[in-house]
Amino acid sequence: MKKIDSTYLKKKINKLNKKIHRAEKQGDENKIWWRKMKLGKLKDRLLKISA
């Protein structure tokens, strides 16, 4: 099983932010909505790990 640490989560958050910005340029609201939900979950996880 993959070890989930802060560096791994930061990398995932960065990739997801790039995907969100790309979808905003394309105007795909559905993808933006789902990715922002996932982004929130990742940020919460990162806060729990760093706390």
Side-chain angles (χ1 to χ4, degrees), residues 13 17 38-48:
I13 288 171
N17 269 328
K38 190 171 182 179
L39 183 67
K41 289 181 184 180
L42 286 174
K43 285 183 178 179
D44 287 342
R45 234 180 183 181
L46 182 62
L47 286 174
K48 286 180 184 176

Side-chain angles (χ1 to χ4, degrees), residues 8-23:
Y8 175 77
L9 286 175
K10 287 177 185 177
K11 189 187 295 184
K12 286 290 185 184
I13 288 171
N14 192 23
K15 275 187 166 184
L16 201 52
N17 269 328
K18 287 179 182 179
K19 285 184 177 185
I20 289 171
H21 290 300
R22 194 177 312 126

Side-chain angles (χ1 to χ4, degrees), residues 18-38:
K18 287 179 182 179
K19 285 184 177 185
I20 289 171
H21 290 300
R22 194 177 312 126
E24 284 174 345
K25 286 181 183 176
Q26 294 172 356
D28 194 346
E29 294 298 320
N30 195 31
K31 283 184 180 178
I32 295 169
W33 186 79
W34 281 109
R35 288 174 177 162
K36 282 188 178 181
M37 272 186 48
K38 190 171 182 179

